[in-house]
PDB file of all heavy atoms in Angstrom:
ATOM      1  N   LEU A 551      94.879 127.323 106.461  1.00 94.00           N
ATOM      2  CA  LEU A 551      94.491 126.262 107.384  1.00 94.00           C
ATOM      3  C   LEU A 551      95.718 125.585 107.984  1.00 94.00           C
ATOM      4  O   LEU A 551      95.795 125.363 109.205  1.00 94.00           O
ATOM      5  CB  LEU A 551      93.617 125.239 106.659  1.00 94.00           C
ATOM      6  CG  LEU A 551      93.165 124.028 107.491  1.00 94.00           C
ATOM      7  CD1 LEU A 551      92.383 124.468 108.713  1.00 94.00           C
ATOM      8  CD2 LEU A 551      92.332 123.071 106.630  1.00 94.00           C
ATOM      9  N   VAL A 552      96.684 125.253 107.140  1.00 95.00           N
ATOM     10  CA  VAL A 552      97.905 124.593 107.637  1.00 95.00           C
ATOM     11  C   VAL A 552      98.623 125.493 108.633  1.00 95.00           C
ATOM     12  O   VAL A 552      99.095 125.038 109.681  1.00 95.00           O
ATOM     13  CB  VAL A 552      98.830 124.225 106.458  1.00 95.00           C
ATOM     14  CG1 VAL A 552     100.199 123.792 106.972  1.00 95.00           C
ATOM     15  CG2 VAL A 552      98.211 123.104 105.630  1.00 95.00           C
ATOM     16  N   ARG A 553      98.714 126.766 108.321  1.00 95.00           N
ATOM     17  CA  ARG A 553      99.374 127.710 109.225  1.00 95.00           C
ATOM     18  C   ARG A 553      98.646 127.763 110.583  1.00 95.00           C
ATOM     19  O   ARG A 553      99.274 127.806 111.635  1.00 95.00           O
ATOM     20  CB  ARG A 553      99.405 129.093 108.582  1.00 95.00           C
ATOM     21  CG  ARG A 553     100.234 130.114 109.376  1.00 95.00           C
ATOM     22  CD  ARG A 553     100.187 131.472 108.706  1.00 95.00           C
ATOM     23  NE  ARG A 553     100.838 131.480 107.407  1.00 95.00           N
ATOM     24  CZ  ARG A 553     100.251 131.838 106.263  1.00 95.00           C
ATOM     25  NH1 ARG A 553      98.980 132.213 106.257  1.00 95.00           N
ATOM     26  NH2 ARG A 553     100.933 131.832 105.143  1.00 95.00           N
ATOM     27  N   ALA A 554      97.319 127.694 110.534  1.00 94.00           N
ATOM     28  CA  ALA A 554      96.527 127.815 111.758  1.00 94.00           C
ATOM     29  C   ALA A 554      96.601 126.569 112.631  1.00 94.00           C
ATOM     30  O   ALA A 554      96.566 126.663 113.864  1.00 94.00           O
ATOM     31  CB  ALA A 554      95.072 128.116 111.408  1.00 94.00           C
ATOM     32  N   VAL A 555      96.695 125.387 112.006  1.00 94.00           N
ATOM     33  CA  VAL A 555      96.620 124.140 112.786  1.00 94.00           C
ATOM     34  C   VAL A 555      97.981 123.529 113.069  1.00 94.00           C
ATOM     35  O   VAL A 555      98.067 122.520 113.767  1.00 94.00           O
ATOM     36  CB  VAL A 555      95.728 123.098 112.073  1.00 94.00           C
ATOM     37  CG1 VAL A 555      94.351 123.681 111.781  1.00 94.00           C
ATOM     38  CG2 VAL A 555      96.393 122.587 110.800  1.00 94.00           C
ATOM     39  N   ALA A 556      99.055 124.114 112.534  1.00 95.00           N
ATOM     40  CA  ALA A 556     100.387 123.510 112.670  1.00 95.00           C
ATOM     41  C   ALA A 556     100.743 123.237 114.126  1.00 95.00           C
ATOM     42  O   ALA A 556     101.337 122.198 114.453  1.00 95.00           O
ATOM     43  CB  ALA A 556     101.440 124.402 112.027  1.00 95.00           C
ATOM     44  N   GLY A 557     100.368 124.128 115.013  1.00 94.00           N
ATOM     45  CA  GLY A 557     100.702 123.954 116.422  1.00 94.00           C
ATOM     46  C   GLY A 557      99.982 122.810 117.089  1.00 94.00           C
ATOM     47  O   GLY A 557     100.355 122.397 118.192  1.00 94.00           O
ATOM     48  N   ARG A 558      98.947 122.274 116.435  1.00 95.00           N
ATOM     49  CA  ARG A 558      98.189 121.164 117.013  1.00 95.00           C
ATOM     50  C   ARG A 558      98.594 119.819 116.421  1.00 95.00           C
ATOM     51  O   ARG A 558      97.953 118.808 116.689  1.00 95.00           O
ATOM     52  CB  ARG A 558      96.693 121.385 116.785  1.00 95.00           C
ATOM     53  CG  ARG A 558      96.112 122.508 117.627  1.00 95.00           C
ATOM     54  CD  ARG A 558      94.612 122.575 117.479  1.00 95.00           C
ATOM     55  NE  ARG A 558      94.199 123.574 116.508  1.00 95.00           N
ATOM     56  CZ  ARG A 558      93.258 123.410 115.597  1.00 95.00           C
ATOM     57  NH1 ARG A 558      92.642 122.256 115.504  1.00 95.00           N
ATOM     58  NH2 ARG A 558      92.943 124.380 114.776  1.00 95.00           N
ATOM     59  N   CYS A 559      99.638 119.815 115.606  1.00 96.00           N
ATOM     60  CA  CYS A 559     100.075 118.584 114.941  1.00 96.00           C
ATOM     61  C   CYS A 559     101.494 118.242 115.387  1.00 96.00           C
ATOM     62  O   CYS A 559     102.400 119.083 115.282  1.00 96.00           O
ATOM     63  CB  CYS A 559     100.037 118.746 113.424  1.00 96.00           C
ATOM     64  SG  CYS A 559      98.409 119.188 112.779  1.00 96.00           S
ATOM     65  N   ARG A 560     101.665 117.037 115.882  1.00 97.00           N
ATOM     66  CA  ARG A 560     102.997 116.624 116.344  1.00 97.00           C
ATOM     67  C   ARG A 560     103.980 116.564 115.188  1.00 97.00           C
ATOM     68  O   ARG A 560     105.149 116.925 115.341  1.00 97.00           O
ATOM     69  CB  ARG A 560     102.900 115.261 117.037  1.00 97.00           C
ATOM     70  CG  ARG A 560     104.222 114.750 117.608  1.00 97.00           C
ATOM     71  CD  ARG A 560     104.009 113.573 118.542  1.00 97.00           C
ATOM     72  NE  ARG A 560     103.378 112.444 117.886  1.00 97.00           N
ATOM     73  CZ  ARG A 560     104.050 111.471 117.244  1.00 97.00           C
ATOM     74  NH1 ARG A 560     105.378 111.512 117.192  1.00 97.00           N
ATOM     75  NH2 ARG A 560     103.415 110.459 116.684  1.00 97.00           N
ATOM     76  N   ARG A 561     103.502 116.092 114.047  1.00 97.00           N
ATOM     77  CA  ARG A 561     104.316 116.048 112.840  1.00 97.00           C
ATOM     78  C   ARG A 561     103.474 116.499 111.649  1.00 97.00           C
ATOM     79  O   ARG A 561     102.257 116.305 111.633  1.00 97.00           O
ATOM     80  CB  ARG A 561     104.818 114.620 112.551  1.00 97.00           C
ATOM     81  CG  ARG A 561     105.987 114.192 113.425  1.00 97.00           C
ATOM     82  CD  ARG A 561     106.367 112.774 113.109  1.00 97.00           C
ATOM     83  NE  ARG A 561     107.612 112.393 113.736  1.00 97.00           N
ATOM     84  CZ  ARG A 561     107.943 111.147 114.037  1.00 97.00           C
ATOM     85  NH1 ARG A 561     107.117 110.164 113.751  1.00 97.00           N
ATOM     86  NH2 ARG A 561     109.103 110.883 114.597  1.00 97.00           N
ATOM     87  N   ILE A 562     104.149 117.057 110.667  1.00 97.00           N
ATOM     88  CA  ILE A 562     103.485 117.461 109.427  1.00 97.00           C
ATOM     89  C   ILE A 562     104.317 116.947 108.266  1.00 97.00           C
ATOM     90  O   ILE A 562     105.555 117.088 108.266  1.00 97.00           O
ATOM     91  CB  ILE A 562     103.322 118.987 109.344  1.00 97.00           C
ATOM     92  CG1 ILE A 562     102.462 119.493 110.496  1.00 97.00           C
ATOM     93  CG2 ILE A 562     102.696 119.397 108.007  1.00 97.00           C
ATOM     94  CD1 ILE A 562     102.301 120.995 110.536  1.00 97.00           C
ATOM     95  N   ALA A 563     103.652 116.333 107.290  1.00 97.00           N
ATOM     96  CA  ALA A 563     104.341 115.803 106.115  1.00 97.00           C
ATOM     97  C   ALA A 563     103.647 116.294 104.849  1.00 97.00           C
ATOM     98  O   ALA A 563     102.441 116.575 104.858  1.00 97.00           O
ATOM     99  CB  ALA A 563     104.359 114.275 106.143  1.00 97.00           C
ATOM    100  N   SER A 564     104.407 116.379 103.785  1.00 95.00           N
ATOM    101  CA  SER A 564     103.820 116.728 102.488  1.00 95.00           C
ATOM    102  C   SER A 564     104.192 115.655 101.481  1.00 95.00           C
ATOM    103  O   SER A 564     105.256 115.034 101.563  1.00 95.00           O
ATOM    104  CB  SER A 564     104.317 118.091 102.005  1.00 95.00           C
ATOM    105  OG  SER A 564     105.719 118.069 101.770  1.00 95.00           O
ATOM    106  N   ILE A 565     103.287 115.426 100.543  1.00 93.00           N
ATOM    107  CA  ILE A 565     103.528 114.484  99.455  1.00 93.00           C
ATOM    108  C   ILE A 565     103.754 115.293  98.188  1.00 93.00           C
ATOM    109  O   ILE A 565     102.899 116.087  97.786  1.00 93.00           O
ATOM    110  CB  ILE A 565     102.341 113.522  99.261  1.00 93.00           C
ATOM    111  CG1 ILE A 565     101.971 112.838 100.585  1.00 93.00           C
ATOM    112  CG2 ILE A 565     102.662 112.486  98.184  1.00 93.00           C
ATOM    113  CD1 ILE A 565     103.069 112.012 101.196  1.00 93.00           C
ATOM    114  N   CYS A 566     104.915 115.111  97.586  1.00 90.00           N
ATOM    115  CA  CYS A 566     105.237 115.754  96.308  1.00 90.00           C
ATOM    116  C   CYS A 566     105.116 117.274  96.419  1.00 90.00           C
ATOM    117  O   CYS A 566     105.729 117.895  97.279  1.00 90.00           O
ATOM    118  CB  CYS A 566     104.345 115.179  95.217  1.00 90.00           C
ATOM    119  SG  CYS A 566     104.884 115.579  93.522  1.00 90.00           S
ATOM    120  N   THR A 567     104.263 117.881  95.560  1.00 90.00           N
ATOM    121  CA  THR A 567     104.152 119.341  95.530  1.00 90.00           C
ATOM    122  C   THR A 567     103.370 119.902  96.710  1.00 90.00           C
ATOM    123  O   THR A 567     103.209 121.123  96.809  1.00 90.00           O
ATOM    124  CB  THR A 567     103.486 119.796  94.223  1.00 90.00           C
ATOM    125  OG1 THR A 567     102.207 119.160  94.108  1.00 90.00           O
ATOM    126  CG2 THR A 567     104.334 119.427  93.016  1.00 90.00           C
ATOM    127  N   GLY A 568     102.923 119.048  97.610  1.00 92.00           N
ATOM    128  CA  GLY A 568     102.348 119.547  98.849  1.00 92.00           C
ATOM    129  C   GLY A 568     103.347 120.380  99.636  1.00 92.00           C
ATOM    130  O   GLY A 568     102.970 121.174 100.510  1.00 92.00           O
ATOM    131  N   ALA A 569     104.642 120.237  99.301  1.00 94.00           N
ATOM    132  CA  ALA A 569     105.666 121.063  99.948  1.00 94.00           C
ATOM    133  C   ALA A 569     105.430 122.541  99.686  1.00 94.00           C
ATOM    134  O   ALA A 569     105.818 123.392 100.505  1.00 94.00           O
ATOM    135  CB  ALA A 569     107.055 120.662  99.446  1.00 94.00           C
ATOM    136  N   MET A 570     104.797 122.867  98.557  1.00 94.00           N
ATOM    137  CA  MET A 570     104.493 124.269  98.266  1.00 94.00           C
ATOM    138  C   MET A 570     103.531 124.843  99.307  1.00 94.00           C
ATOM    139  O   MET A 570     103.638 126.003  99.699  1.00 94.00           O
ATOM    140  CB  MET A 570     103.893 124.399  96.861  1.00 94.00           C
ATOM    141  CG  MET A 570     104.896 124.247  95.736  1.00 94.00           C
ATOM    142  SD  MET A 570     106.060 125.629  95.688  1.00 94.00           S
ATOM    143  CE  MET A 570     106.957 125.237  94.175  1.00 94.00           C
ATOM    144  N   VAL A 571     102.578 124.037  99.747  1.00 94.00           N
ATOM    145  CA  VAL A 571     101.638 124.485 100.773  1.00 94.00           C
ATOM    146  C   VAL A 571     102.386 124.761 102.076  1.00 94.00           C
ATOM    147  O   VAL A 571     102.180 125.794 102.729  1.00 94.00           O
ATOM    148  CB  VAL A 571     100.522 123.448 100.991  1.00 94.00           C
ATOM    149  CG1 VAL A 571      99.574 123.896 102.095  1.00 94.00           C
ATOM    150  CG2 VAL A 571      99.746 123.218  99.696  1.00 94.00           C
ATOM    151  N   LEU A 572     103.271 123.833 102.461  1.00 96.00           N
ATOM    152  CA  LEU A 572     104.041 124.024 103.685  1.00 96.00           C
ATOM    153  C   LEU A 572     104.943 125.251 103.581  1.00 96.00           C
ATOM    154  O   LEU A 572     105.106 125.995 104.551  1.00 96.00           O
ATOM    155  CB  LEU A 572     104.888 122.786 103.986  1.00 96.00           C
ATOM    156  CG  LEU A 572     104.165 121.446 104.144  1.00 96.00           C
ATOM    157  CD1 LEU A 572     105.117 120.397 104.713  1.00 96.00           C
ATOM    158  CD2 LEU A 572     102.937 121.571 105.020  1.00 96.00           C
ATOM    159  N   ALA A 573     105.520 125.459 102.402  1.00 96.00           N
ATOM    160  CA  ALA A 573     106.398 126.608 102.213  1.00 96.00           C
ATOM    161  C   ALA A 573     105.619 127.911 102.318  1.00 96.00           C
ATOM    162  O   ALA A 573     106.053 128.858 102.985  1.00 96.00           O
ATOM    163  CB  ALA A 573     107.094 126.517 100.858  1.00 96.00           C
ATOM    164  N   GLU A 574     104.463 127.971 101.663  1.00 95.00           N
ATOM    165  CA  GLU A 574     103.638 129.180 101.723  1.00 95.00           C
ATOM    166  C   GLU A 574     103.197 129.466 103.160  1.00 95.00           C
ATOM    167  O   GLU A 574     103.053 130.628 103.560  1.00 95.00           O
ATOM    168  CB  GLU A 574     102.415 129.019 100.827  1.00 95.00           C
ATOM    169  CG  GLU A 574     102.710 129.044  99.329  1.00 95.00           C
ATOM    170  CD  GLU A 574     102.853 130.448  98.783  1.00 95.00           C
ATOM    171  OE1 GLU A 574     102.912 131.399  99.585  1.00 95.00           O
ATOM    172  OE2 GLU A 574     102.916 130.595  97.551  1.00 95.00           O
TER     173      GLU A 574
END
Side-chain angles (χ1 to χ4, degrees):
L551 178 58
V552 169
R553 187 182 294 123
V555 305
R558 289 187 263 137
C559 302
R560 182 167 60 89
R561 283 178 170 155
I562 299 177
S564 64
I565 307 300
C566 194
T567 57
M570 285 292 186
V571 178
L572 302 191
E574 289 279 10

